[in-house]
Amino acid sequence: MNIIYDSIWLILTLTTLTESCGTLVDDLPTIGLKTANVRFGNSNGDIIASVRTTNGWSTWRNLDNSACNDFEKKNTDYFNNFNDIVEPWMAVALYACHTDGWAMDELGYWNGKEIAWIKTFCQDIGGPGARRCGIKKKPNQYCTFDETLPVFDAYWLEQDETFCPLVVIDTSISCTSGHLGRSYYTISDPGRPQC
């Protein structure tokens, strides 16, 4: 009898671990966030976002799908908090309000027609003072010609000694290898939300 209950528990656990939150709807402005498959990558803390268009920065909005466990390892979650901003997004800012860190693996953003994805990030998206925020450095890939700014597969957000609570990502830059998450700090600072 215990074997049956253990088997049912295992199936329910595996189903829960691979279930993403939110829904991607075609032609609807959406933020998509994939959580990296790294130790402590998932989070129960609040992640807040703002998007920039030609009209400036939006208000900060909490990313949370009710009755679902967002920000779990390997899951891609969709947030429809920005359905009202239909013009192309120039930048996305994400802010972690708690010390329960989160590891961003991919960022989906609205390009004016559909959701587009950024899968690698420059070290400087955390802005001035950010350190030890990049995860899984890409060998021999850099964001600058002088090879001083490395590229990472994933990026930490959290309120602790790493100084990585905020990332500001330029979504308008593309290159032959696809979209690369570059810093938008030098162009515009979104400020900080109230947590």
Side-chain angles (χ1 to χ4, degrees):
M1 192 68 156
N2 283 341
I3 293 174
I4 294 172
Y5 287 117
D6 289 343
S7 297
I8 291 171
W9 178 85
L10 179 62
I11 290 169
L12 290 174
T13 301
L14 290 175
T15 302
T16 302
L17 291 176
T18 59
E19 184 177 309
S20 295
C21 299
T23 304
L24 177 60
V25 178
D26 290 337
D27 303 325
L28 189 64
T30 301
I31 288 182
L33 293 170
K34 182 176 182 183
T35 300
N37 186 24
V38 296
R39 188 173 182 208
F40 305 117
N42 57 307
S43 179
N44 290 318
D46 290 336
I47 306 294
I48 300 176
S50 178
V51 301
R52 180 172 171 83
T53 66
T54 56
N55 293 321
W57 287 101
S58 71
T59 57
W60 288 94
R61 303 174 191 188
N62 188 32
L63 301 179
D64 182 45
N65 288 298
S66 61
C68 193
N69 199 4
D70 304 305
F71 306 110
E72 293 298 312
K73 287 183 191 179
K74 299 192 289 185
N75 288 357
T76 302
D77 301 316
Y78 298 99
F79 303 93
N80 296 323
N81 303 49
F82 297 94
N83 293 359
D84 58 319
I85 304 176
V86 296
E87 64 183 291
W89 299 352
M90 299 163 57
V92 173
L94 300 170
Y95 191 83
C97 285
H98 302 284
T99 56
D100 183 11
W102 173 65
M104 174 177 57
D105 190 31
E106 296 178 14
L107 166 68
Y109 66 94
W110 181 248
N111 68 10
K113 298 177 187 170
E114 61 188 2
I115 193 169
W117 291 91
I118 294 175
K119 298 182 180 188
T120 54
F121 305 95
C122 294
Q123 177 179 311
D124 64 341
I125 63 170
R131 39 178 219 215
R132 296 188 320 269
C133 304
I135 304 168
K136 297 181 188 174
K137 184 178 173 183
K138 308 259 313 162
N140 303 314
Q141 292 188 30
Y142 300 91
C143 297
T144 55
F145 291 114
D146 63 0
E147 299 183 354
T148 57
L149 197 59
V151 174
F152 292 91
D153 273 332
Y155 208 86
W156 282 112
L157 276 87
E158 70 181 306
Q159 289 278 353
D160 72 354
E161 74 280 352
T162 61
F163 301 105
C164 305
L166 172 70
V167 295
V168 183
I169 303 166
D170 190 335
T171 59
S172 65
I173 298 174
S174 64
C175 54
T176 55
S177 61
H179 290 279
L180 172 66
R182 298 290 308 259
S183 176
Y184 199 79
Y185 272 111
T186 57
I187 301 169
S188 177
D189 186 338
R192 307 296 178 272
Q194 295 291 323
C195 291

